[in-house]
Amino acid sequence: MTRLKPVQDFVLCEDGAVTTDWVPLVSATVGLGLAVTGVVSGGVQNLALSIRDSLNSDIIAGIGGNDPNTGTSGGDDGLVALAFNDFNNGDQGWITIADEHEDPLLFDMLGPYFDQSGSPVVLNTYSFDPDTGFAMFEFDLHTIGNWEAADQMRLFINGVMIDATRLNGGSTNSVDDDGSDETLVSYNFIQRESVHRDVSAERLEIANAYYEAEVGDANYEAVRSNVNTQSAYTVQVVVQNPSEEIQFGIGRIGDDPYGGEAWAIDNVGSYGSDILPVEFNAN
């Protein structure tokens, strides 16, 4: 037996070869997966955001099925998107009467606002076809702080208040409306979340600077417990037999002595339809 014989036997032996081959194969596969993820992740994220924006800005006509209120089938009678504002490039034509403020988390929105006057402080005018059966406005509402019973969002159509709703910890309760069957309002709670202490501290600085400059009353000093939470809602407003022009307004009323509570809106869409939207649930 030569000295090379053991080496030759080892090289030609296939026992354990699968394990030996599997380790570099798996390593190469994992490395390839990580490389592919790094390349495509940015594109996938951009695509997801584009899909989200498209869904927000364009409700597909043709809801399908029979409408329980009119007996009319869906098809081409579904919602038609007319306008959409995401406020990524400023106010986008909205009239803002109250002062808009900064917030470390609520950006690329209209707001936030500390106003508690009860008047419409953000307004926009929309045009509709004279034959439109229903006009619908839909938007995201973001609130800061722990709102009490006196704090209510108000919605206005052509300067007339159509609804006042109390928001408290995610619950919603309509406390006033215009008494008309021509207008319907729905608040759908999305989430309530706590924010980091550093965010609360920054919000306190912003709020207290506002109250010192505008209110001049120490009783309105912002407190951490009123800025360390925020909530999100989807709001829908339906107007039957709308006029050819509608001025849509939003405001808030309250007598809260604790500063810092605020609100902002985002992703505002206007739509026209020949039937009442079938998924609409009145508040």
Side-chain angles (χ1 to χ4, degrees):
M1 176 182 297
T2 67
R3 294 182 178 180
L4 296 178
K5 186 65 166 61
V7 177
Q8 183 180 9
D9 291 342
F10 175 79
V11 171
L12 295 178
C13 180
E14 294 186 359
D15 293 342
V18 173
T19 302
T20 304
D21 294 341
W22 184 252
V23 171
L25 180 61
V26 170
S27 300
T29 303
V30 171
L32 179 61
L34 293 175
V36 171
T37 300
V39 172
V40 305
S41 60
V44 171
Q45 182 178 9
N46 291 337
L47 178 59
L49 293 174
S50 297
I51 293 174
R52 182 204 65 181
D53 293 341
S54 178
L55 290 174
N56 281 336
S57 63
D58 185 18
I59 296 180
I60 301 174
I63 297 174
N66 291 331
D67 180 69
N69 299 283
T70 65
T72 305
S73 62
D76 293 333
D77 290 333
L79 290 172
V80 176
L82 301 177
F84 183 77
N85 301 121
D86 58 12
F87 306 111
N88 290 337
N89 298 308
D91 294 347
Q92 297 182 347
W94 281 70
I95 299 173
T96 56
I97 298 175
D99 291 333
E100 186 176 357
H101 297 275
E102 297 179 356
D103 186 85
L105 297 181
L106 304 181
F107 50 89
D108 288 339
M109 300 183 184
L110 197 59
Y113 300 97
F114 297 128
D115 182 81
Q116 299 185 35
S117 66
S119 301
V121 296
V122 296
L123 306 104
N124 200 4
T125 301
Y126 296 88
S127 298
F128 293 90
D129 187 282
D131 296 326
T132 300
F134 295 90
M136 180 170 129
F137 305 97
E138 184 177 65
F139 63 94
D140 297 334
L141 172 67
H142 299 266
T143 64
I144 297 175
N146 302 306
W147 291 29
E148 289 76 33
D151 300 312
Q152 304 160 12
M153 290 303 299
R154 287 184 165 187
L155 303 176
F156 299 81
I157 296 294
N158 295 330
V160 177
M161 190 191 76
I162 63 169
D163 182 81
T165 291
R166 181 183 301 153
L167 308 175
N168 184 11
S171 65
T172 62
N173 180 27
S174 179
V175 295
D176 196 8
D177 57 46
D178 62 352
S180 169
D181 294 333
E182 301 289 306
T183 57
L184 297 170
V185 176
S186 173
Y187 281 77
N188 299 296
F189 174 67
I190 299 176
Q191 68 176 357
R192 177 179 173 86
E193 57 184 330
S194 299
V195 302
H196 193 270
R197 182 178 294 272
D198 292 342
V199 173
S200 296
E202 186 172 346
R203 284 178 169 174
L204 289 175
E205 291 180 3
I206 295 171
N208 284 327
Y210 164 76
Y211 285 110
E212 181 179 354
E214 302 294 332
V215 180
D217 190 336
N219 291 330
Y220 282 86
E221 182 178 359
V223 293
R224 181 177 183 274
S225 63
N226 246 26
V227 296
N228 61 358
T229 58
Q230 63 183 44
S231 301
Y233 306 80
T234 297
V235 187
Q236 294 172 313
V237 179
V238 172
V239 180
Q240 187 175 4
N241 300 320
S243 54
E244 293 187 36
E245 279 197 345
I246 289 182
Q247 185 189 68
F248 180 50
I250 306 171
R252 170 196 171 204
I253 191 171
D255 59 359
D256 181 17
Y258 303 106
E261 294 177 348
W263 57 277
I265 62 172
D266 196 13
N267 298 323
V268 185
S270 64
Y271 309 91
S273 178
D274 292 337
I275 61 173
L276 181 66
V278 295
E279 294 184 356
F280 182 84
N281 297 312
N283 186 29

